[in-house]
């Protein structure tokens, strides 16, 4: 098995999170430019994000694990798949990469480098949606790794594509992406004041998924049948 040093894994996490956020923000800007139909704009945003996730996880997964998400990195640290000493580097890479992705999207569409979002995303329904969205994401990743590792890129891409539509929050499910989206006042933005509720909900959903899937994916040993021996 090939292993990569922390510098390369750091770069892969930063690059992947940056391209993911550039896709989320950039496709949202493009959608707003092309149509005033909010549903159609969301569809465009959804398809681009799901497709990019498949690509990024496929090409960068072998290097860093393709977390691109502090909640996912925390889960892998808690289940001992990621050494605790590497967690800070992953988190820095993800948050820095996400912000760079917002900047890249703005520059591509001739917008200010950074903006403060004004889009309201708050309330119990939104927070619960983020719990559900992140719970489902982590559950899909853990089960995918357990049963069919090669399909994880598709599983994650398809799950996020669906979760955009069945959650009231449009499934951020990622603290780094949430922070990056607070710096764009476009279709995908979120007010900075709304970030704490989203981040707490996302981390809660991730931890619940880790606890449940840790139990669900642990099979009980099968006891072999042994016929009783006749006493002499």
């Amino acid at each position: 098995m090939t292993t990569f040093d922390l510098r390369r894994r750091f770069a892969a996490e930063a690059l992947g999170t940056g391209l993911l956020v550039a896709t989320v923000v950039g496709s949202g800007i493009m959608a707003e430019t092309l149509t005033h139909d909010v549903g159609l704009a969301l569809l465009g945003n959804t398809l681009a994000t799901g497709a990019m996730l498949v690509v990024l996880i496929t090409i960068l997964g072998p290097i860093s694990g393709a977390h691109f998400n502090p909640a996912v990195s925390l889960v892998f640290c808690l289940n001992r798949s990621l050494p605790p000493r590497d967690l800070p580097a992953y988190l820095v890479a993800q948050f820095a990469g996400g912000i760079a992705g917002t900047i890249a999207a703005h520059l591509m569409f001739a917008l200010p480098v950074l903006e403060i979002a004004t889009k309201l995303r708050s309330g119990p329904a939104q927070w619960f949606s983020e719990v559900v969205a992140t719970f489902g994401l982590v559950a899909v990743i853990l089960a995918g790794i357990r049963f069919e590792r090669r399909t994880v890129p598709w599983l994650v891409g398809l799950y996020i594509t669906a979760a955009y539509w069945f959650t009231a929050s449009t499934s951020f499910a990622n603290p780094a992406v949430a922070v990056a989206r607070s710096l764009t006042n476009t279709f995908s933005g979120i007010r900075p004041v709304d970030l704490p509720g989203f981040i707490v909900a996302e981390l809660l959903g991730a931890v619940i998924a880790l606890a449940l899937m840790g139990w669900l994916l642990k099979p009980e040993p099968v006891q072999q049948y042994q016929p009783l021996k006749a006493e002499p």
Side-chain angles (χ1 to χ4, degrees):
M1 178 179 178
T2 304
T3 58
F4 293 84
D5 62 25
L6 185 58
R7 292 178 303 164
R8 288 177 173 81
R9 287 184 283 137
F10 179 96
E13 285 296 302
L15 176 63
T17 313
L19 288 172
L20 174 60
V21 170
T23 301
V24 173
V25 176
S27 63
I29 297 170
M30 177 66 81
E32 278 189 318
T33 303
L34 295 176
T35 181
H36 296 293
D37 185 326
V38 177
L40 188 57
L42 181 60
L43 179 61
N45 196 208
T46 301
L47 296 176
T49 303
M52 182 58 78
L53 277 168
V54 174
V55 173
L56 293 176
I57 297 171
T58 300
I59 65 173
L60 298 177
I63 300 174
S64 68
H67 300 180
F68 314 144
N69 186 333
V72 173
S73 294
L74 175 62
V75 164
F76 282 130
C77 185
L78 292 174
N79 74 3
R80 300 181 182 179
S81 298
L82 178 70
R85 66 178 180 274
D86 292 350
L87 180 61
Y90 271 61
L91 298 183
V92 170
Q94 290 156 1
F95 282 104
I99 293 170
T102 297
I103 293 172
H106 282 191
L107 292 177
M108 287 190 288
F109 288 92
L111 296 175
V113 175
L114 291 173
E115 302 171 317
I116 301 300
T118 59
K119 182 168 289 189
L120 172 65
R121 297 182 189 266
S122 187
Q126 295 273 318
W127 301 329
F128 181 64
S129 292
E130 283 302 291
V131 172
V132 172
T134 314
F135 169 86
L137 173 63
V138 172
V140 165
I141 292 170
L142 294 177
I145 290 172
R146 172 69 172 78
F147 296 120
E148 196 63 55
R149 183 180 290 267
R150 291 177 299 176
T151 66
V152 169
W154 286 97
L155 293 174
V156 172
L158 290 170
Y159 173 79
I160 291 297
T161 299
Y164 255 80
W165 288 86
F166 79 75
T167 62
S169 62
T170 66
S171 184
F172 283 47
N174 186 327
V177 169
V179 169
R181 290 171 66 167
S182 75
L183 300 174
T184 180
N185 195 29
T186 60
F187 182 79
S188 60
I190 174 176
R191 298 185 309 173
V193 71
D194 297 333
L195 284 176
F198 266 57
I199 292 173
V200 169
E202 289 157 2
L203 295 177
L204 179 60
V207 172
I208 294 172
L210 174 62
L212 177 61
M213 299 307 288
W215 169 79
L216 186 62
L217 298 176
K218 186 178 181 180
E220 290 291 334
V222 178
Q223 294 183 349
Q224 292 185 347
Y225 171 72
Q226 294 182 346
L228 295 175
K229 293 182 179 180
E231 294 184 1

